[in-house]
Amino acid sequence: MRKIIVATAQIAFLAGALSSGSALAESVDIPILVPITGFISLEGTAQRNGAVQALETPPAGVSVSYEVSDTSTSPEVAVNALRRAISKGKPVAAAASIFGTQMLAMLPIAKRAGLPLITVSGTAKLTELGNPYIFRFFPGDAVVKVAHARYAVEELGAKRPAIIYQTTSYGQSGRAELARILTKLGAPPVFEEALSVKVKDMLPAITRARAAKADMLLLHLHSGSTALVVRQARGAGWDVPIVAGSAMHQPTTAALLRPAELKGVCAESASSPISESTADVKAFTAEFRKRFKTEPDAFALGQYDGIRMVLAALKDGAKDAEGVRAWLSSHTHKGLAMTYKSDGKGNMAHDALILCYDGSGNAPRIVKRYDNVDGVLE
Amino acid sequence: MIDALAQLTVNGIALGAAYALAALGFVLVINAVGAVNFAHGDFVMAGGFLAVAISGYLPADLELPGLVVLPLTMLVAAGLGLLLSLIAYFPLRGRPPVSVFISTIAVAIILQHGTNAIFGPAPRAAPPVFGDGQVDLGIASVSMQQVAVIVVAAVLIGAVALVLSRTRFGRRLRAAAQDPEMAEAIGIDVPLMIAVTFALAISLAGATGALLANQFFVSPDDGGNYMLKAYIAVVIGGWGRIHGAVLGALLIGMFEVVVAAAASYVVAEALLYGALLAVLVLRPQGLFGEAEGRRA
């Protein structure tokens, strides 16, 4: 199904626009092509909401219109949505799917059309293809998995970690990075298991991880699977520390679990809007709650920051897609979650953090920040 | 090792019991109308969300809200079953079975996207039927919800079997399913029997969803998976065979859990579909034989 929501953002503060020499007179198009149905719709909806919030509050003098298209879970639907967006006008950039499999299919088309794709997909391969039209505003696996593995080994003392990951491209990409870094840190995984998103009974994987004498559980799973493993591991009386992927930082994932089940559970993420105390992030969170009646997560904030950077490019005089691409490639942008700068491959985010639940509630606390992990920021 | 095996067996039985409940509803519709209801899995999913929604209206201090939620979910689901028959079956009655396939696929998609629009994409959890907690059996620990799944599935499957085999109403249902023309000739209201069958089948799907949504959560896109499990159970058990579908589902639940524990989930899935192919090639009538004339 294709679900479309059409809206147009206002021209704000006309006087301010007129006084700015670089302001655009015409409205520009920034389509949102994300999965809002299917197994990754939770993350895709967060992504959409972040993009919408950014587009609905453009800087003075910038006028944008946008259309939301559901890419569901198949590459074909995503490709069709992108082709349709390109054929309908001259978009200057597009908010593109968090689902790595879809991004891999969309990238060649974006390159041919010269359209920058703004995404929060973590799949490592996306920025390794030499495509200059991808800009990732969520730390890729090469960043977050460093934080994930280092926290497990250096802070929690993992010596025999087990990895449970999803069979999707997201899961496989994260597993490869985790296994590589853990081995480098001297704690190679003693057990690895891939799960389809349809698997509900996690006990077989938990039983085998215990049999392998794992001393820690590292998860790289989507939301529902993450909550199921945590619940069933605790239900089976296995109290080892669990360091999960970014799905565990999502408020909707934590809401599925009781505080006692969350004790000893940590997660990597790019940010955690509900845990941050800075005024800007608090304002973003309050506006997000008011607008969408739900809690924001790191995907929403990353996508918001990405679209804000595109809007900053337009404000600064970028006139078309090529202008936006060139601006994104060469400028540094201070967003709400972090400072963004391209590493030359389109990786814009270089910080990660670790959040932990202490068993007293469902809101995590930031326990460790890993800034500029890949050394891109000066 | 024995403890782990016992624990896995308990999990397999609980999972299989839930699949059996879903497969029972699925096969009832096949028998009644000779066509597959491809929306059955999505009604299992809808049952989960119904349980979540109903629990939201109950007093927060209610003890064991699941005991109230389960029958209410089944009641609402029965109404949805009637609606399904009116929308997706009766207007197409007399047309080739493929028409019903397509119409139920459409209903499945509407259910999935409708649920996503109403409840959002996040997984949700329904309340437990008998409360939280574990029962320690010595060599294995059983959660109260697993006990609930096994007990409720056994009671409902037993009740359906009893109604179908021992009551006048059940005999009418079976007569309408087996030979509609003859049943009509002797005065049985066949459309009514078909509508009741849809209501009963979707009510069972609703119960399955309410039971699974506590232990395994529920997401709008869960339906396809349950549909597939019910379909495989029916193929393995014997197309149109009620007890075959139930036993087939129990086998699938056990197989999934035990093989995944011994090897991996990927191997378990590959072997399950391998077994399905083997049954189709070597014993196409299923392990317990095919009910005559049921295959569309």
Side-chain angles (χ1 to χ4, degrees), chain A residues 1 36-39 41-42 45 193 195 198-205 207-208 224 227-228 231-232 252 256 258, chain B residues 4 7-8 11 15 113 116 121-125 132 134 214-217 221-222 225-226 257 260-261 263-265:
Chain A
M1 187 189 89
I36 49 182
T37 57
F39 73 87
S41 56
L42 178 61
T45 303
E193 174 73 277
L195 305 180
K198 292 174 182 142
V199 170
K200 298 287 190 184
D201 194 328
M202 308 301 185
L203 190 66
T207 304
R208 290 173 59 226
L228 283 171
R231 171 176 277 189
Q232 291 177 30
T252 43
L256 293 168
R258 289 183 286 272
Chain B
Q7 189 63 59
L8 290 163
N11 277 34
L15 191 62
H113 294 309
N116 198 331
R124 307 285 281 270
D132 292 320
Q134 303 273 329
N214 172 256
Q215 201 183 349
F216 297 134
F217 314 130
D221 59 314
D222 278 348
N225 185 40
Y226 295 130
V257 172
S264 74
Y265 288 95

Side-chain angles (χ1 to χ4, degrees), chain A residues 5 7-10 28-36 42-59 64-69 93-98 117-120 137 284 287-288 291-292 294 296-311 314 336:
Chain A
I5 303 162
T8 303
Q10 78 282 17
V28 294
D29 183 26
I30 302 179
I32 301 171
L33 317 171
V34 295
I36 49 182
L42 178 61
E43 293 86 348
T45 303
Q47 196 187 5
R48 177 198 62 184
N49 293 347
V52 166
Q53 187 160 321
L55 289 168
E56 296 252 334
T57 52
V64 288
S65 62
Y66 67 92
E67 185 175 284
V68 180
S69 294
S97 177
I98 190 170
L117 298 183
I118 313 301
T119 189
V120 288
F137 286 82
F284 163 85
E287 173 65 21
F288 192 96
R291 200 179 278 272
F292 304 110
T294 186
D297 59 22
F299 304 124
L301 187 53
Q303 194 66 51
Y304 174 86
D305 278 347
I307 297 297
R308 292 296 298 184
M309 189 168 178
V310 172
L311 295 172
L314 295 169
L336 294 184

Side-chain angles (χ1 to χ4, degrees), chain B residues 33-270:
Chain B
V33 301
V36 173
N37 169 19
F38 277 102
H40 196 77
D42 285 279
F43 278 104
V44 173
M45 174 275 294
F49 276 101
L50 274 175
V52 171
I54 291 168
S55 65
Y57 289 102
L58 298 178
D61 57 350
L62 185 69
E63 277 193 41
L64 305 182
L67 278 177
V68 179
V69 166
L70 183 65
L72 286 177
T73 301
M74 291 182 69
L75 199 64
V76 178
L80 290 177
L82 280 176
L83 199 61
L84 173 71
S85 69
L86 292 174
I87 293 172
Y89 173 68
F90 283 116
L92 302 169
R93 199 175 172 212
R95 305 234 185 121
V98 71
S99 307
V100 179
F101 294 175
I102 303 295
S103 71
T104 55
I105 288 171
V107 170
I109 293 169
I110 291 167
L111 271 177
Q112 187 181 334
H113 294 309
T115 307
N116 198 331
I118 295 167
F119 293 95
R124 307 285 281 270
V129 176
F130 297 156
D132 292 320
Q134 303 273 329
V135 180
D136 192 358
L137 300 179
I139 54 168
S141 168
V142 191
S143 74
M144 289 303 286
Q145 187 61 13
Q146 284 178 319
V147 172
V149 170
I150 294 167
V151 169
V152 171
V155 167
L156 289 177
I157 291 167
V160 170
L162 209 63
V163 166
L164 290 178
S165 62
R166 300 290 166 89
T167 67
R168 185 181 161 89
F169 177 70
R171 281 193 290 274
R172 287 182 169 205
L173 275 181
R174 281 163 47 214
Q178 284 167 10
D179 193 339
E181 287 82 13
M182 183 58 77
E184 215 145 32
I186 60 170
I188 294 173
D189 188 341
V190 173
L192 178 67
M193 293 297 116
I194 289 173
V196 169
T197 304
F198 268 95
L200 178 60
I202 303 306
S203 177
L204 293 171
T208 312
L211 291 168
L212 289 173
N214 172 256
Q215 201 183 349
F216 297 134
F217 314 130
V218 59
S219 301
D221 59 314
D222 278 348
N225 185 40
Y226 295 130
M227 169 67 215
L228 205 56
K229 295 290 155 56
Y231 202 110
I232 295 172
V234 172
V235 170
I236 289 177
W239 198 258
R241 288 275 179 205
I242 289 176
H243 68 281
V246 170
L247 290 172
L250 279 167
L251 275 176
I252 292 171
M254 287 295 297
F255 185 89
E256 272 186 358
V257 172
V258 173
V259 177
S264 74
Y265 288 95
V266 177
V267 171
E269 197 164 13

Side-chain angles (χ1 to χ4, degrees), chain B residues 48 146 223 245 272 285:
Chain B
Q146 284 178 319
L272 178 64
Q285 69 274 35

Side-chain angles (χ1 to χ4, degrees), chain A residues 79-125:
Chain A
V79 163
N80 285 340
L82 177 59
R83 286 201 168 120
R84 201 165 45 239
I86 292 167
S87 69
K88 281 177 79 171
K90 285 190 177 174
V92 295
S97 177
I98 190 170
F99 189 27
T101 308
Q102 292 186 328
M103 285 301 295
L104 288 168
M106 293 164 93
L107 277 171
I109 294 157
K111 188 177 181 182
R112 280 199 295 277
L115 179 68
L117 298 183
I118 313 301
T119 189
V120 288
S121 176
T123 304
K125 194 179 173 187

